[in-house]
Amino acid sequence: MGTLGRAIYTVGKWIRGTGQAMDRLGSAVQGGLRAEEHVSRHRTIMGIFEKEPRINKDVFVAPSAAVIGDVEIGHGSSIWYGSILRGDVNTIQIGSGSNIQDNSLVHVSKSNISGKVLPTIIGNKVTVGHSAVLHACTIEDEAFVGMGATLLDGVVVEKHSMVGAGSLVKQNTRIPSGEVWVGNPAKFLRKLTEEEIAFIAQSATNYFNLAQVHAAENAKSFDEIELEKMLRKKFAHKDEEYDSMLGVVREIPPELILPDNILPDKAPKAAVAAH
């Protein structure tokens, strides 16, 4: 970011803070007669220690997620509901087309006993299952971390490898490419099949598509949401014989049509399996 870019960014921050500043001023003027409204202080994207997240414009970050500090997220990735990415004492880097699923935690270490710097690095088209914990580790492109798995400091999950659900991967473990590791502590189980390797890439694509739908839904205004409720009620499925007696032809309005890429009956078999 050049000098002009930094200046524009700074002015933008000042403008966004103006509303809060005016509210505080108004409260001070009202004194003891003011009635304070307590609202949520949750900030989905938050800087800390002068470190600001750098997030591509097409990344989906769920409203209840938290992306904090020195975090970089590449295009097409998604951070799902309840997940926390905390880049306070080191950096978190996430590539393109990766997904960090609901209630997962991604954190870092400043250094280990030997003094090695330990950021968390996640490559491209990586799938991280629900409630996983990634701490100061590296996950290479098109790897898969199962639900509830825990990866400790210094772990490296190589490209096209898989950590099974609920597994604990000990510090400084390296999981070679093409292998499945499971257990507590995690150990080698077997080699991945070609179909499983293809599934990992397909899983990332599935979540990219699904994230677009969730992003659009979260961006809707109150009026748009109420309109859709009315349309769903109006065009709800009715008995065909009943409709024919009334001469009614029910067509689904475009507002209620979901994209083909997330409909189970129109998606590839591999895509269905990912959900």
Side-chain angles (χ1 to χ4, degrees), residues 44 59-65 79-81 102 210-222 224-225 228:
T44 302
V59 170
F60 169 62
V61 180
S64 58
I79 313 300
W80 291 80
Y81 304 93
D102 314 69
L210 189 58
Q212 309 313 305
V213 178
H214 279 258
E217 189 67 29
N218 278 281
K220 288 176 181 175
S221 67
F222 176 80
E224 288 173 319
I225 294 170
E228 286 196 6

Side-chain angles (χ1 to χ4, degrees), residues 252-275:
I252 300 176
E255 293 88 346
L256 302 183
I257 298 176
L258 293 173
D260 286 354
N261 57 21
I262 68 158
L263 295 176
D265 58 337
K266 295 185 179 180
K269 289 184 178 178
V272 177
H275 298 290

Side-chain angles (χ1 to χ4, degrees), residues 73-89:
I73 308 175
H75 71 87
S77 290
S78 53
I79 313 300
W80 291 80
Y81 304 93
S83 292
I84 299 172
L85 280 61
R86 181 154 59 91
D88 43 14
V89 296

Side-chain angles (χ1 to χ4, degrees), residues 17 29 112 119 151 208 259:
V29 171
N112 62 6
L151 279 60
F208 170 80

